[in-house]
Amino acid sequence: DTEVTQTPKHLVMGMTNKKSLKCEQHMGHRAMYWYKQKAKKPPELMFVYSYEKLSINESVPSRFSPECPNSSLLNLHLHALQPEDSALYLCASSHPGVPGYTFGSGTRLTVV
Amino acid sequence: AQSVTQLDSQVPVFEEAPVELRCNYSSSVSVYLFWYVQYPNQGLQLLLKYLSGSTLVKGINGFEAEFNKSQTSFHLRKPSVHISDTAEYFCAGTRYQGAQKLVFGQGTRLTINP
């Protein structure tokens, strides 16, 4: 298995909703990442987990809450989002000592 | 701070013509460099990467890139493009091997005209 799987592929949520994005990999990678990508822009790093511990939080608002329950799974919990949070959310993973990521295909999030 | 600059925001070319997408990086230490491609409504797919060794790196879909330390460049090339190469291309770099922060360029939109 050489993939990073993200679900759902599309999500529409209201500003008062609570939802979660899920990311899964079975490549034995011990670092996992959440990125946010707006249209026609490069991905922006949100969070980094290393060995299931949060190692980088790029000053992301608290309405985004990451969770890494085990070495294969990464979640992003969403609550009280704003329309400007609408974007493509990308998950990625990497192997210790090997530069470079494997990206998932992303979740297209629309906040209404 | 490390940065990656893609010199062209858009590159239009005709089908079967050669193409070069330019990328420059700034770093005073060892650096690992990557090219990713993003097709519409999809995630990023790794085209190729430079870690060490030979400066000419071959990737998927007929792409190659050359690492040039003296010019701090990592330009992407393809000798003959196809309509299916229409996509956004991102150059990225990192100095770390562990949990990494990839630094991305702003992207180059490659448009192939028939």
Side-chain angles (χ1 to χ4, degrees):
Chain A
D1 189 351
T2 59
E3 288 187 346
V4 174
T5 303
Q6 289 188 244
T7 54
K9 293 198 181 307
H10 302 275
L11 179 62
V12 179
M13 62 184 290
M15 289 188 285
T16 58
N17 290 160
K18 286 185 180 181
K19 296 285 185 183
S20 296
L21 309 185
K22 180 180 171 183
C23 173
E24 197 164 3
Q25 57 88 16
H26 297 286
M27 295 178 282
H29 291 178
R30 300 308 298 271
M32 296 185 76
Y33 311 79
W34 280 114
Y35 277 81
K36 173 183 177 180
Q37 187 181 26
K38 301 285 274 185
K40 300 186 189 302
K41 295 290 186 183
E44 298 174 11
L45 183 65
M46 300 175 72
F47 303 104
V48 179
Y49 272 83
S50 178
Y51 292 89
E52 294 92 70
K53 290 191 185 334
L54 183 64
S55 63
I56 298 176
N57 176 342
E58 292 284 284
S59 303
V60 179
S62 59
R63 57 186 184 268
F64 295 90
S65 176
E67 178 195 21
C68 190
N70 59 57
S71 59
S72 299
L73 210 53
L74 184 67
N75 298 318
L76 186 63
H77 302 298
L78 314 172
H79 174 54
L81 294 193
Q82 303 297 310
E84 59 263 29
D85 296 321
S86 298
L88 181 68
Y89 287 83
L90 293 163
C91 175
S93 67
S94 67
H95 194 285
V98 179
Y101 297 173
T102 300
F103 279 93
S105 57
T107 294
R108 175 74 61 188
L109 175 67
T110 303
V111 182
V112 297
Chain B
Q2 187 182 19
S3 68
V4 175
T5 303
Q6 291 182 244
L7 297 160
D8 306 294
S9 59
Q10 296 184 66
V11 173
V13 296
F14 288 106
E15 195 172 16
E16 298 184 7
V19 70
E20 178 180 83
L21 306 184
R22 298 181 293 168
C23 173
N24 285 94
Y25 68 94
S26 67
S27 177
S28 60
V29 295
S30 298
V31 64
Y32 308 103
L33 294 165
F34 310 86
W35 276 99
Y36 285 90
V37 60
Q38 187 174 32
Y39 300 104
N41 299 313
Q42 294 190 27
L44 277 70
Q45 180 182 9
L46 181 66
L47 275 177
L48 48 80
K49 58 185 175 183
Y50 173 77
L51 304 183
S52 65
S54 173
T55 57
L56 183 62
V57 181
K58 292 192 183 299
I60 62 171
N61 301 342
F63 284 93
E64 63 181 33
E66 185 158 16
F67 174 69
N68 188 319
K69 190 172 182 179
S70 63
Q71 297 187 9
T72 60
S73 68
F74 189 55
H75 300 335
L76 181 71
R77 301 185 182 100
K78 186 170 183 178
S80 175
V81 295
H82 304 284
I83 293 285
S84 59
D85 292 321
T86 295
E88 190 82 21
Y89 290 79
F90 291 99
C91 183
T94 183
R95 285 185 287 181
Y96 306 108
Q97 290 185 334
Q100 313 150 29
K101 181 175 180 177
L102 265 188
V103 177
F104 284 90
Q106 288 300 303
T108 298
R109 175 72 181 167
L110 177 62
T111 303
I112 312 299
N113 298 306

